[in-house]
Amino acid sequence: MDQRDVITGSKAGITIAAMAAALMSVLDISIVNVALSDIRASFGTPLDQIAWVSTGYMMANVVVIPMTGWLQRRFGYRRYFTFSILMFTAASVLCGLAWNLPSLVVFRILQGMGGGAIIPTSQAILFARYPRNEHSMAGALFALGAVTGPLLGPTVGGMLIEAASWHWIFLINLPVGLFAAYMAWRNIEQPHFEVSQEKVDRNGIALLAVGMAALQYVLEEGNREDWFESRTITILAVIAGVALITFIVHELETPQPVVDLSVFLNRSYAAATGVNFLIGTALFSGSFLFSLFCGTVMRYSALDIGLVFLKGSAIQILLMPIIGKFGSKVDGRMLIAFGICGMSLSLWTNGHMTSSVDEAALIAPVFIRACSLGFVFVPLSVLALSNLKPEQRGNAAGLFNLTRELGGSIGTAWMSSALSRSTQANVTALTSHVDVYGQTTQEQLGMAKSMMAGRGILDPGGAAYGLLNMRINVQALVRAFNANFVILTVIFAASLLLVFMLQKPDPTVKVEGAH
């Protein structure tokens, strides 16, 4: 075992630092989405430009994530992790003080560069500090910080905006970030660390930055620009494909790669990464569809949607530590299979909603997903990372988290585009079955006219036709949502096939970190 990768120091202090930083970083992604309308109104920004607040962050995020292992070897866990937290915190303050959209986007890119390092580094630090027989608990504590962010984000964001302004969704990071940076600097010790003498892989870094940034732009903006009908999207898609394929070939051939792709030779890691990609697809795109359903069909406010997520997902806070404590006593593959079945059931339940569904029925699939996610998230990271050498874990954790981010981006872009197409197809199908002169339609129009006339509307006939058209559109939208949820169910359930490729951690392999 390479002693340079051993971490010592207070286990409790390191855990607090990693969880606080992970919570802050993940919280920021979901909390900003709630505030986009207020930011747009504050700056007078056109609707098609406000998405850059999220796009700029994610582009920087996905560029930095795969390089975290190399940066950890260059600077050490303590310096790199603390610097990333401080960079994220400083950029958050600048975002809160932004004076127009371009300045906010620039500061969000800086924030993404810091945030991209926090998640994989905090995960790698916990696995390096905890002995192997406690890796299940390390995975649970990391997951607790990582999943609590999306859980609290919409609610906290809605409350801050109502009580003050959108500026405070960024400024709130200041005390949390300073505390996490202090705890990291004080407690993380890497006594045998030596600065890596590897030659800087400039070509690899350049190809990675160009390829990932272009890919993320295509995924974030493609649907808004009608995909390959846009010259910009087409050109960037080609650039992303060429750059990333060249990057993979280059990294496999160079003796000192910035991203070590050899970790995929480990069968268990490769399979776990595949499951993680599908988790990102199901989790992020499923949440996207569910939030959109609540907003467009149920007419819920952002705060109301956040409260639905909070009520349904609060169980995670209790469940994660329990799974971490007792999960190591059960075959992790059984837990993952159980969790996948539960998450598939959640998506399937979402695929059978109606426009008259009540709050309890909305909370039920969120609750099922929250319970199931812990059974997947905790053992999956253990099976992915435990059999790897300590010096490989930083790089592997970065790639592991990157696949979830990419799964989410690809899934959300796909579902957004599919929802538009499916809604239009359903409108056409439903309209074709509506006979304006038929008895049923005439009865519906007659009732609507009477209702409109009773409300004193001057043109009850026109209003009645408008109401009929609205009902057709709502029904088409509900059908589109249901169809997309069913598609996600089938795709995510297919990840069960990858569970058979996972391998239990081998207790005879001496790869554990410091005790």
Side-chain angles (χ1 to χ4, degrees):
M1 187 178 93
D2 193 337
Q3 292 296 313
R4 291 176 297 179
D5 295 284
V6 170
I7 289 181
T8 59
S10 168
K11 187 188 292 185
I14 291 173
T15 302
I16 291 171
M19 289 181 65
L23 172 62
M24 176 182 67
S25 175
V26 179
L27 178 73
D28 196 79
I29 297 174
S30 56
I31 204 173
V32 168
N33 292 335
V34 176
L36 289 179
S37 296
D38 294 85
I39 295 173
R40 176 173 168 260
S42 176
F43 291 148
T45 302
L47 184 62
D48 61 345
Q49 293 181 17
I50 192 61
W52 271 101
V53 175
S54 296
T55 303
Y57 180 92
M58 292 307 299
M59 286 173 66
N61 205 260
V62 298
V63 169
V64 172
I65 287 175
M67 292 196 295
T68 51
W70 177 75
L71 290 167
Q72 288 161 12
R73 296 193 299 273
R74 296 287 294 186
F75 301 104
Y77 285 115
R78 185 188 188 200
R79 284 190 293 171
Y80 180 56
F81 191 49
T82 305
F83 174 79
S84 298
I85 296 171
L86 290 175
M87 184 178 185
F88 183 91
T89 305
S92 296
V93 174
L94 291 172
C95 287
L97 301 176
W99 54 91
N100 57 22
L101 182 65
S103 65
L104 179 57
V105 171
V106 170
F107 298 145
R108 282 284 285 168
I109 290 173
L110 291 175
Q111 194 184 37
M113 292 173 67
I118 288 175
I119 293 296
T121 305
S122 61
Q123 186 176 27
I125 286 172
L126 287 174
F127 273 80
R129 180 60 187 89
Y130 280 68
R132 175 187 234 142
N133 61 348
E134 295 179 13
H135 275 186
S136 183
M137 178 56 73
L141 293 172
F142 167 77
L144 187 59
V147 303
T148 305
L151 165 63
L152 297 177
T155 308
V156 173
M159 290 178 175
L160 286 172
I161 292 168
E162 281 197 1
S165 70
W166 65 264
H167 302 273
W168 284 94
I169 67 171
F170 296 110
L171 298 176
I172 196 175
N173 288 333
L174 180 60
V176 180
L178 291 177
F179 170 73
Y182 169 76
M183 293 298 291
W185 186 260
R186 179 174 179 178
N187 292 287
I188 297 174
E189 297 176 10
Q190 204 172 353
H192 304 291
F193 173 72
E194 296 177 8
V195 176
S196 173
Q197 299 302 315
E198 297 176 20
K199 183 180 178 181
V200 178
D201 182 14
R202 292 185 176 86
N203 292 334
I205 293 173
L207 288 168
L208 177 66
V210 171
M212 292 305 300
L215 175 63
Q216 191 64 32
Y217 181 92
V218 170
L219 294 174
E220 292 278 339
E221 302 294 326
N223 193 53
R224 278 186 285 271
E225 298 188 25
D226 200 18
W227 294 105
F228 297 110
E229 295 299 319
S230 165
R231 179 178 295 180
T232 301
I233 293 297
T234 302
I235 292 173
L236 287 177
V238 172
I239 291 173
V242 172
L244 291 176
I245 291 172
T246 307
F247 169 76
I248 292 171
V249 174
H250 172 76
E251 294 302 284
L252 292 174
E253 292 180 347
T254 188
Q256 296 177 330
V258 67
V259 179
D260 182 11
L261 300 178
S262 66
V263 289
F264 286 104
L265 295 175
N266 182 296
R267 191 183 82 182
S268 191
Y269 176 79
T273 303
V275 175
N276 203 38
F277 176 85
L278 292 174
I279 286 176
T281 303
L283 191 60
F284 287 98
S285 56
S287 296
F288 164 77
L289 287 176
F290 184 77
S291 298
L292 208 56
F293 178 89
C294 291
T296 56
V297 177
M298 304 304 297
R299 301 294 179 184
Y300 278 26
S301 68
L303 183 58
D304 290 335
I305 296 172
L307 289 174
V308 170
F309 276 105
L310 183 62
K311 293 172 184 177
S313 302
I315 187 67
Q316 286 176 335
I317 298 175
L318 297 174
L319 198 59
M320 289 290 186
I322 294 174
I323 295 174
K325 180 69 174 177
F326 300 104
S328 59
K329 304 180 186 303
V330 182
D331 189 337
R333 294 168 295 185
M334 298 295 294
L335 295 177
I336 293 170
F338 176 80
I340 289 174
C341 291
M343 290 182 67
S344 299
L345 174 62
S346 169
L347 292 169
W348 180 261
T349 305
N350 279 140
H352 293 81
M353 296 185 295
T354 67
S355 58
S356 58
V357 68
D358 58 16
E359 186 183 47
L362 288 174
I363 291 174
V366 179
F367 179 80
I368 295 171
R369 187 190 69 180
C371 293
S372 306
L373 187 60
F375 287 96
V376 179
F377 205 107
V378 176
L380 188 65
S381 59
V382 174
L383 293 179
L385 301 176
S386 279
N387 276 345
L388 298 175
K389 298 175 182 178
E391 60 269 22
Q392 291 181 305
R393 286 195 195 127
N395 174 78
L399 291 172
F400 187 72
N401 284 279
L402 176 66
T403 55
R404 188 170 60 251
E405 296 283 345
L406 283 179
S409 295
I410 292 172
T412 302
W414 175 34
M415 285 294 109
S416 177
S417 181
L419 185 66
S420 300
R421 293 195 306 270
S422 183
T423 301
Q424 188 57 50
N426 281 310
V427 168
T428 302
L430 289 171
T431 303
S432 68
H433 289 88
V434 176
D435 180 5
V436 178
Y437 302 103
Q439 180 180 353
T440 303
T441 304
Q442 286 298 316
E443 289 176 357
Q444 292 289 326
L445 287 172
M447 293 172 58
K449 287 178 183 178
S450 300
M451 182 179 66
M452 296 301 175
R455 293 182 178 180
I457 293 176
L458 296 177
D459 182 14
Y465 277 105
L467 180 61
L468 178 63
N469 185 59
M470 184 188 73
R471 286 176 177 172
I472 291 174
N473 287 332
V474 168
Q475 187 61 33
L477 194 58
V478 170
R479 286 189 178 187
F481 275 114
N482 288 345
N484 283 4
F485 273 119
V486 170
I487 290 171
L488 279 180
T489 303
V490 174
I491 290 174
F492 186 66
S495 63
L496 281 169
L497 298 175
L498 293 172
V499 175
F500 293 102
M501 295 177 61
L502 295 172
Q503 297 172 307
K504 293 178 66 176
D506 185 354
T508 64
V509 180
K510 302 296 183 181
V511 296
E512 62 267 27
H515 287 242

